[in-house]
Amino acid sequence: MRHLIFCGNGCFFLCLEVRKSNIFEAVKESVTTRQAAEYYGVQVGRNGMACCPFHDDKHPSMKIDHRFHCFGCQADGDVIDFTARLFSLSSKEAALKLAEDFSVHYDAKGHDPPRRRPVKRKISEELRYRQAEQKCFRVLCNYLHLLERWEKEYAPQTPDEAWNPLFVEALQKKPYTEYLLDILLSGSMEERASVVAEYGKEVRKIEQRISEFTASHPAGRHERSRSLSAGAER
Ligand SMILES: [Zn+2]
């Protein structure tokens, strides 16, 4: 049997993390956001889209699967975040509610499971990974929003008009960005990890791209849409 030696305060902290997070982990492993949403009365379409319960949503703009993300109000998170927000509960209360409603078994007394040391190491790796995945997700979401905006605001108005590069970028990059986001939302752990690993560099480039664009367009409005609406009023 292999023993892993951990020492110092970091180890102690992580031990506590394991105990505290037991119910959180158990709930997240057992219940998807989609299952919880449907159980609590949110109608989720076959494509995983639902009207967001967190803002006044007329058309389904929330994608719900293992996690959830609203493209309207940016609400985002896992099944515990969803339930906490839906019922105005703390994370702990939401986890307890989910555990009860879905009969999830967890280590209520916080006893250390027998294989606690290997788990400990896994948790710290998981934390690091989760941060990377969340960042990846956030950047891609922001990018998709920009692309959706560009697709509308910079669309050519006449057949002979030259295509704006931002419109072209929207056409080229949107399907691919949606595809990656879909994997991050509904893929298996392995699939998500491969996106994070393979597209890490690309995501950093996109992040840079977004900040450059935002810096050069501080008002966030495209001039042409103004002149167009002025034209329409005439
Ligand atoms: Zn929303």
Side-chain angles (χ1 to χ4, degrees):
M1 193 183 147
R2 200 154 61 101
H3 286 275
L4 293 158
I5 314 284
F6 289 86
C7 50
N9 294 332
C11 159
F12 182 60
F13 171 74
L14 283 170
C15 287
L16 289 176
E17 272 302 301
V18 171
R19 289 189 189 184
K20 271 196 299 189
S21 65
N22 197 305
I23 182 174
F24 294 95
E25 296 304 318
V27 164
K28 282 192 272 183
E29 272 168 28
S30 315
V31 190
T32 65
T33 305
R34 180 170 182 152
Q35 287 168 327
E38 287 177 333
Y39 185 82
Y40 297 136
V42 175
Q43 281 201 341
V44 185
R46 267 200 309 197
N47 55 0
M49 298 301 291
C51 280
C52 172
F54 308 133
H55 81 271
D56 185 20
D57 197 8
K58 302 279 189 298
H59 305 284
S61 49
M62 178 178 274
K63 174 91 178 163
I64 306 185
D65 209 288
H66 201 82
R67 299 168 51 82
F68 69 97
H69 179 82
C70 175
F71 293 97
C73 70
Q74 305 296 313
D76 179 83
D78 57 36
V79 64
I80 295 174
D81 302 321
F82 184 88
T83 309
R85 196 152 168 195
L86 195 63
F87 296 101
S88 305
L89 301 172
S90 70
S91 299
K92 182 69 187 267
E93 289 165 339
L96 285 166
K97 176 174 176 55
L98 284 160
E100 181 160 338
D101 292 343
F102 287 85
S103 308
V104 175
H105 297 288
Y106 60 95
D107 183 14
K109 289 180 194 146
H111 284 316
D112 296 328
R115 36 178 207 107
R116 120 189 169 203
R117 287 191 165 161
V119 167
K120 217 171 11 178
R121 190 182 61 167
K122 200 174 144 230
I123 293 279
S124 63
E125 277 168 11
E126 258 180 41
L127 279 176
R128 247 199 320 267
Y129 167 75
R130 218 175 299 148
Q131 286 169 348
E133 186 183 314
Q134 277 167 0
K135 184 185 167 184
C136 199
F137 187 79
R138 202 179 52 237
V139 171
L140 288 172
C141 270
N142 291 342
Y143 190 46
L144 181 62
H145 265 105
L146 267 186
L147 294 175
E148 280 170 344
R149 225 181 79 197
W150 293 346
E151 195 181 17
K152 280 193 204 118
E153 291 188 3
Y154 294 86
Q157 303 299 307
T158 60
D160 340 311
E161 186 181 330
W163 285 13
N164 188 301
L166 293 176
F167 178 69
V168 176
E169 183 172 339
L171 290 190
Q172 285 174 340
K173 297 290 175 64
K174 218 179 97 179
Y176 155 83
T177 308
E178 281 172 338
Y179 166 74
L180 293 181
L181 277 170
D182 248 15
I183 299 180
L184 288 179
L185 269 166
S186 15
S188 67
M189 176 83 189
E190 253 172 37
E191 289 168 332
R192 292 183 345 248
S194 77
V195 166
V196 175
E198 282 174 42
Y199 296 92
K201 213 169 155 189
E202 180 84 15
V203 164
R204 275 193 296 278
K205 272 194 222 154
I206 292 176
E207 197 181 15
Q208 175 111 30
R209 168 91 186 95
I210 295 172
S211 51
E212 278 167 14
F213 177 80
T214 322
S216 58
H217 295 70
R221 280 267 142 223
H222 177 41
E223 285 148 22
R224 205 187 59 188
S225 45
R226 268 205 303 268
S227 64
L228 273 178
S229 52
E233 280 158 18
R234 256 187 271 135

